[in-house]
Amino acid sequence: SDGVQTCALPISNSASVTIIVQDTTPPTVQITSGPAEGSTTNTRSVTIGWTGADNGTYPSNLLFSYRLDGGTASPYLNQFSNSFTGLVDGAHAVSVLAQDQHGNTSPTPAVRDFTVEATPPVISNVLATPGLQQCLITWMTDKPASAQIVYGTTTNYGSSTALNAQLVTSHS
């Protein structure tokens, strides 16, 4: 519809008053779930959730259109989340617009920016320096990474060092 609602109110047997209300207020939209704003994820698939508010349309009746990285926008649908798969490493942005039952569209999209970093580091320069009671293992990675060594006397290993969560390129 065009945002115009009419209502006829009888005031006597032969007369009535018609009230015309035109909704020109656009809905708002906000992103409610997914990777945190500005965060980095190590997965190539993310789900972004959203909701909206409007002065004349229940939130459950709003329609939403979303787009990834400025690509083609989806049609307006009564859909409150979407999964984006096959994401490549790098920066990404999901933007969402809302539309109410009268065709008013939010003037500014809700945007969620995040980075995908799902390619594992390349390990190089592995060096084992044996000692009497221990062995020092050192290695390099092509990008900052955490480190943990899994070891044992058989190929089943069975032991591991504590995880060093510090992101570095030189490890020991």
Side-chain angles (χ1 to χ4, degrees):
S1 71
D2 60 6
V4 176
Q5 295 181 354
T6 60
C7 178
L9 302 173
I11 56 173
S12 70
N13 286 342
S14 61
S16 67
V17 173
T18 300
I19 300 172
I20 299 174
V21 178
Q22 184 169 3
D23 177 9
T24 59
T25 303
T28 60
V29 60
Q30 59 272 352
I31 293 178
T32 58
S33 63
E37 175 63 26
S39 68
T40 298
T41 181
N42 63 359
T43 178
R44 298 196 183 282
S45 175
V46 300
T47 299
I48 306 287
W50 52 78
T51 190
D54 187 61
N55 67 328
T57 302
Y58 288 111
S60 60
N61 292 330
L62 289 171
L63 303 177
F64 299 93
S65 174
Y66 56 86
R67 72 174 66 211
L68 174 66
D69 297 334
T72 303
S74 72
Y76 281 93
L77 302 168
N78 187 244
Q79 178 178 331
F80 294 85
S81 68
N82 192 69
S83 293
F84 300 90
T85 60
L87 298 171
V88 299
D89 283 356
H92 295 281
V94 172
S95 59
V96 183
L97 291 170
Q99 185 179 70
D100 67 19
Q101 291 176 319
H102 302 291
N104 300 310
T105 302
S106 47
T108 305
V111 178
R112 180 62 53 94
D113 295 300
F114 61 95
T115 299
V116 171
E117 182 58 60
T119 301
V122 174
I123 299 172
S124 63
N125 300 328
V126 178
L127 180 62
T129 307
L132 291 176
Q133 297 293 320
Q134 63 187 15
C135 183
L136 176 64
I137 309 293
T138 60
W139 69 96
M140 303 292 291
T141 54
D142 66 332
K143 58 185 169 184
S146 59
Q148 184 174 39
I149 298 173
V150 178
Y151 61 96
T153 57
T154 69
T155 56
N156 290 332
Y157 303 115
S159 299
S160 65
T161 63
L163 175 65
N164 180 347
Q166 183 178 5
L167 299 178
V168 296
T169 58
S170 179
H171 305 269
S172 62

